[in-house]
Amino acid sequence: MAEPDPQQHAQQLAELDVSTDLFTLVLSLALEDVRGCTDFDAPAARGFLFWSRANRYLAEVLVPDGWGRTSRDSILRVIHPNRTHAITAISAEGGVADLNRRVRSKNPKGPAMARMVEKNGQLAFLSRDEVEYGVELDQLPTWCLLYKREEGIMQAELSLPVKMNGKFVDEWLTRIPISLPPMDDPGFDISLDEPGDDQGPEVVVELLGEN
């Protein structure tokens, strides 16, 4: 049974040039924005807004320090200045921040995420990109800031995915629990589901022969 080691987890975060304070700020700001939603918003508005704002605030804090940002393939990522890794925030379910329990992405993911996770598993670093980023984005190890709100408590971890089973990311090379302080309850039941990136209309093409 894995025992929590806050000092080790803090060191692991520091090696990635992030911190508990950063993620506390990002998630608390996103939660504050969600408070502005009402029952007149779309049913999924709170979850979509939280996902979008969590990634936005990651970028707003880190980009001035030299990090890059991309939304390519609808995966919102910040990219380390040295192009060693990237981070994206997604909702999760299961034992978020509990290393003795399994955790997975809450929503199904599409082929873009599958390619990213596959590259993580191969641990390919620093492939050149001739266009914009200095590396191929699919070659960057991309860590997931997993978040979950349950019974009014926000939980989070920073984890490196290496495999998808079906359409869910559920195998991880490294999981780093984040010890968040209590965050104010927004006063209503809130589902923090970001949109799945495998969604879209199914188009059936029927070839008609000549009569």
Side-chain angles (χ1 to χ4, degrees):
M1 179 176 292
E3 295 295 332
D5 186 342
Q7 185 173 1
Q8 179 188 11
H9 299 155
Q11 178 60 36
Q12 289 175 303
L13 293 177
E15 290 171 358
L16 296 168
D17 282 338
V18 292
S19 66
T20 295
D21 288 344
L22 166 67
F23 295 129
T24 298
L25 174 64
V26 164
L27 296 175
S28 61
L29 287 173
L31 191 61
E32 182 65 31
D33 287 349
V34 168
R35 291 189 178 93
C37 293
T38 74
D39 291 338
F40 292 104
D41 282 295
R46 292 184 177 108
F48 180 88
L49 181 62
F50 189 94
W51 165 75
S52 177
R53 292 299 170 84
N55 282 287
R56 166 186 157 178
Y57 291 130
L58 270 177
E60 287 189 348
V61 173
L62 294 175
V63 166
D65 290 334
W67 290 61
R69 177 191 175 276
T70 175
S71 58
R72 199 179 79 181
D73 299 323
S74 297
I75 301 175
L76 308 181
R77 282 171 280 186
V78 289
I79 305 168
H80 190 273
N82 294 335
R83 304 303 192 252
T84 52
H85 59 279
I87 299 173
T88 185
I90 61 173
S91 63
E93 68 177 11
V96 177
D98 183 349
L99 299 183
N100 297 307
R101 297 172 58 200
R102 293 182 62 85
V103 66
R104 75 171 198 183
S105 61
K106 187 164 187 178
N107 289 320
K109 302 300 177 186
M113 180 69 77
R115 290 193 301 270
M116 184 197 79
V117 171
E118 179 183 359
K119 293 299 183 180
N120 282 351
Q122 296 173 8
L123 292 180
F125 288 80
L126 296 179
S127 173
R128 298 300 301 177
D129 185 316
E130 296 180 356
V131 181
E132 185 173 358
Y133 299 103
V135 293
E136 293 285 349
L137 289 180
D138 287 343
Q139 298 287 351
L140 282 175
T142 298
W143 292 73
C144 292
L145 172 59
L146 303 177
Y147 58 81
K148 174 184 177 182
R149 182 178 177 275
E150 188 172 54
E151 297 181 352
I153 298 174
M154 185 70 71
Q155 298 164 319
E157 64 180 67
L158 188 66
S159 298
L160 184 64
V162 292
K163 189 174 180 181
M164 288 176 61
N165 288 295
K167 293 186 176 182
F168 295 90
V169 186
D170 64 354
E171 294 193 25
W172 316 88
L173 180 65
T174 303
R175 294 175 59 190
I176 309 173
I178 300 170
S179 300
L180 297 174
M183 295 184 181
D184 292 339
D185 194 295
F188 46 77
D189 186 25
I190 176 177
S191 175
L192 300 182
D193 292 353
E194 89 280 8
D197 60 14
D198 71 328
Q199 298 173 355
E202 293 186 1
V203 179
V204 178
V205 178
E206 181 179 357
L207 298 178
L208 300 179
E210 294 182 0
N211 292 331

